[in-house]
């Protein structure tokens, strides 16, 4: 009998009737949904051998070497305004200026940072992954790929480390002297009450035993420590529009397909209180879904790509964005 991986309810219903075959394998997957906690999950549960074979593929995108941004030395008026706004968001609003001893907090710049933080480009605040600064804070990035976020956080004054299952990705990170080890969370064996911040970007949907994973996250977080990450949103307009061609379904890599409601249920069921949820400003899934639906050579593509920005803007405003970011806190 089918059981919900979150709440153990066994009255499970088929979701949207998709039939999704895995290339080179022949197995066909579909989606099921738990009416109790609303979690949607991939059925049947993919075999560990199949997942092991797929993950060992070097082409998986987060395993590539990340782009290291260079400090922008340009002095044109436009660039100076951009740098000032970036400092307002990162240094004043999120408090990263405090890593420098002579930093003076400026309330005016902080308010401007609050006002413009939704407008700045994703690369400025690392895909909006930024979290309020904690002096000498200990940070763990789970599923860190080749270490892009560990690199960024280390440069911003965090004591940052990462874990990753893909050996090639870990080697890339080590070449850059990043504190990254090849391990999953359960066997990494961190001390209890150790981290101020744990991040998991596009990770929760991949974890075979979600309950066990979140209980370990909770154990190694300090009381008051934060757990933040992102997941695709199955009830987004984008998911509805593209149906089974929606690229972030990524079956069978993705075992769960969260919505704001089911994400809250999963986190709070594990003793992590949801503090904030927002939609990320990321459009790559729009382009990838278009290619999947219409093929790479379609004449419609250039036109439809242009609609992407308007579409994500509207869907984010109305609360149906494609990518959810969450911040949850471990309570005492
Ligand atoms: Zn359930």
């Amino acid at each position: 009998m089918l059981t919900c991986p979150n709440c153990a309810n066994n009255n499970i219903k088929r979701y949207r009737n998709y039939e999704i075959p895995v290339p080179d394998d022949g197995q066909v997957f579909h989606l099921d949904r738990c009416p109790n906690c609303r979690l949607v999950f991939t059925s049947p549960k993919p075999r560990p051998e199949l997942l092991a074979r797929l993950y060992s593929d070097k082409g998986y995108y987060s395993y590539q070497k990340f782009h290291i941004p260079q400090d922008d030395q340009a002095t044109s008026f436009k660039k100076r305004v951009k740098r000032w706004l970036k400092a307002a968001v990162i240094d004043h609003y999120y408090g990263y200026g405090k890593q420098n001893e002579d930093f003076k907090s400026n309330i005016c710049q902080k308010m401007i940072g609050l006002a413009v933080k939704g407008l700045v480009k994703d690369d400025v605040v690392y895909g909006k992954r930024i979290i309020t600064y904690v002096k000498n804070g200990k940070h763990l990035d789970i599923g860190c790929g080749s270490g892009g976020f560990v690199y960024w956080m280390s440069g911003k004054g965090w004591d940052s480390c990462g874990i990753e299952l893909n050996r090639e990705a870990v080697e890339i990170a080590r070449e850059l002297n990043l504190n990254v080890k090849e391990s999953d969370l359960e066997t990494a064996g961190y001390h209890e009450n150790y981290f101020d911040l744990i991040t998991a970007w596009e990770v929760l949907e991949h974890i075979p035993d979600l309950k066990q994973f979140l209980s370990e996250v909770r154990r190694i977080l300090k009381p008051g420590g934060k757990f933040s990450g992102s997941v695709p949103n199955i009830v987004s307009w984008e998911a509805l529009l593209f149906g089974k061609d929606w690229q972030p379904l990524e079956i069978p890599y993705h075992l769960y397909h969260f919505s704001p409601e089911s994400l809250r249920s999963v986190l709070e069921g594990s003793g992590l209180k949801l503090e904030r949820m927002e939609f990320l400003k990321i459009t790559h899934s729009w382009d990838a879904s278009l290619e999947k639906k219409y093929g790479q050579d379609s004449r419609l593509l250039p036109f439809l790509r242009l609609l992407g920005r308007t579409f994500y803007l509207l869907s984010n405003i109305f609360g149906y964005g494609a990518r959810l970011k969450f911040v949850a806190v471990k309570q005492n």
Side-chain angles (χ1 to χ4, degrees), residues 104-138:
K104 290 207 173 34
S105 181
N106 177 328
I107 189 71
C108 166
Q109 240 171 316
K110 190 174 175 174
M111 296 314 287
I112 289 168
L114 169 68
V116 302
K117 77 183 173 74
L119 301 175
V120 289
K121 272 193 182 164
D122 287 342
D123 55 350
V124 171
V125 288
Y126 212 96
K128 296 256 174 80
R129 296 170 174 195
I130 196 163
I131 305 287
T132 305
Y133 181 62
V134 175
K135 200 172 166 80
N136 301 321
K138 288 189 163 34

Side-chain angles (χ1 to χ4, degrees), residues 205-223:
E205 61 274 26
H206 295 262
I207 302 296
D209 191 335
L210 200 52
K211 285 260 163 203
Q212 191 191 6
F213 177 88
L214 289 171
S215 122
E216 181 64 3
V217 165
R218 191 180 184 286
R219 188 185 72 81
I220 62 179
L221 268 181
K222 286 179 185 170

Side-chain angles (χ1 to χ4, degrees), residues 26 55 69 100 131-132 143 147 182 202 218 288-289 315 331:
Y55 278 116
N100 302 318
I131 305 287
T132 305
E182 186 189 342
E202 313 291 306
R218 191 180 184 286
S289 305
S315 49
Q331 294 186 306

Side-chain angles (χ1 to χ4, degrees), residues 3-9 12 33-39 41 265:
T3 306
C4 170
N6 178 40
C7 73
N9 170 32
I12 301 298
R33 178 174 175 271
C34 167
N36 183 40
C37 70
R38 317 279 171 97
L39 183 65
F41 52 95
S265 164

Side-chain angles (χ1 to χ4, degrees), residues 116-129 202 230 238 278-286 308-317 321-325:
V116 302
K117 77 183 173 74
L119 301 175
V120 289
K121 272 193 182 164
D122 287 342
D123 55 350
V124 171
V125 288
Y126 212 96
K128 296 256 174 80
R129 296 170 174 195
E202 313 291 306
S230 59
E238 197 183 84
E278 62 186 282
F279 297 107
L280 290 180
K281 200 174 104 186
I282 294 177
T283 53
H284 61 75
S285 59
W286 174 267
R309 285 189 158 262
T310 315
F311 187 83
Y312 86 69
L313 193 68
L314 288 175
S315 49
N316 281 8
I317 288 171
R323 197 75 54 162
L324 283 166
K325 173 189 166 182

